[in-house]
Amino acid sequence: MVPASEQTDAQQRRALLKVEQILQGATQVFLSQGYDRASMDQVAKPAGVSKQTLYVYFADKKALFKALVERMAKQRFQAVFEETSLEGSPEVVLPQLLQKGFTRIAQDIEYHDFIRMMIGESKRFPELVHVFFRNITVPGIETISDYLRNHPELEIPDAEATAHILVGASFFYMLTQEIMAGKDVLPMTQTRLSASLMHLLGISGELKASP
């Protein structure tokens, strides 16, 4: 007989796999249809589950979308912040962090589509944008703020506001260069933007971010 603890572990693993399967299907539907037009019926087919199974894991469309945002936030946060060591001098850490962020932004087509959707739905569904900010933007700002506070040699009077500047500049770069296809109208390279942001922080040194 299989111990009850092992049965529980196996059930939890199957449940997690099922949730991931549903979220992958939901991503396709939300990005193609937008939040307002997407339905649970539409999600069930690409997710490979019945509508009844869908409701076992998610109470409604809003709960499903919230879980999708949280999943995407975790993946993107890990890709930038957990793959970049925050141990070390600002002259090394901050340029590396910006380079990693810019590189991920340029390559992440799914994230571009997600931002477009969030912008389009923001007026009608502001609560969904709040979920996005709480799970993606706020953790990034808090992480950078904590790092800046731990380095008084930078003499930054307001670490949180400075973190807003760094994140805001990164987001504007993504918006103009990738999401809204503005490269020809507002050309800017990663190298120039990174170097200028470091100059504002009083950090010198040659950056190796790719254009």
Side-chain angles (χ1 to χ4, degrees):
M1 180 179 294
V2 179
S5 60
E6 291 186 14
Q7 289 180 344
T8 301
D9 289 343
Q11 291 171 349
Q12 289 177 342
R13 287 194 295 271
R14 285 195 296 270
L16 289 173
L17 289 173
K18 185 64 69 174
V19 167
E20 179 61 24
Q21 177 182 334
I22 292 171
L23 291 177
Q24 289 179 2
T27 298
Q28 300 175 33
V29 174
F30 281 123
L31 292 184
S32 63
Q33 300 297 321
Y35 177 80
D36 192 26
R37 290 187 298 167
S39 69
M40 297 293 266
D41 283 328
Q42 291 173 318
V43 170
K45 185 175 181 180
V49 299
S50 67
K51 186 176 179 180
Q52 291 74 18
T53 299
L54 198 56
Y55 280 107
V56 169
Y57 292 93
F58 300 100
D60 52 29
K61 183 172 74 170
K62 187 175 181 179
L64 175 57
F65 187 78
K66 182 175 182 292
L68 178 62
V69 173
E70 291 172 346
R71 168 180 172 269
M72 183 170 288
K74 183 178 180 180
Q75 291 175 340
R76 271 59 182 185
F77 186 88
Q78 289 176 339
V80 175
F81 289 97
E82 294 187 9
E83 292 181 10
T84 304
S85 174
L86 296 182
E87 298 293 331
S89 68
E91 291 81 1
V92 175
V93 170
L94 292 177
Q96 287 180 348
L97 187 62
L98 283 173
Q99 180 178 343
K100 175 71 73 172
F102 287 146
T103 301
R104 291 287 181 176
I105 284 170
Q107 297 173 348
D108 198 341
I109 305 303
E110 183 179 87
Y111 191 53
H112 300 169
D113 292 338
F114 184 77
I115 295 296
R116 291 188 188 99
M117 181 190 67
M118 292 301 300
I119 292 173
E121 305 285 10
S122 60
K123 186 174 182 179
R124 287 176 296 173
F125 304 101
E127 69 277 10
L128 298 179
V129 182
H130 296 167
V131 173
F132 170 78
F133 284 146
R134 282 194 295 267
N135 286 277
I136 295 180
T137 310
V138 171
I141 288 175
E142 289 178 344
T143 300
I144 296 173
S145 297
D146 289 342
Y147 178 82
L148 296 177
R149 290 191 190 97
N150 289 330
H151 288 273
E153 71 272 19
L154 292 173
E155 299 182 350
I156 294 175
D158 191 330
E160 184 179 8
T162 303
H164 273 262
I165 292 171
L166 294 174
V167 172
S170 299
F171 182 81
F172 186 74
Y173 175 84
M174 174 179 66
L175 192 67
T176 57
Q177 303 298 300
E178 305 295 342
I179 294 177
M180 300 183 70
K183 292 180 179 180
D184 293 335
V185 180
L186 291 170
M188 177 56 59
T189 65
Q190 297 176 16
T191 302
R192 287 179 62 197
L193 185 56
S194 295
S196 294
L197 288 171
M198 293 304 97
H199 177 74
L200 290 174
L201 295 177
I203 295 174
S204 60
E206 183 179 353
L207 301 177
K208 296 181 180 180
S210 58

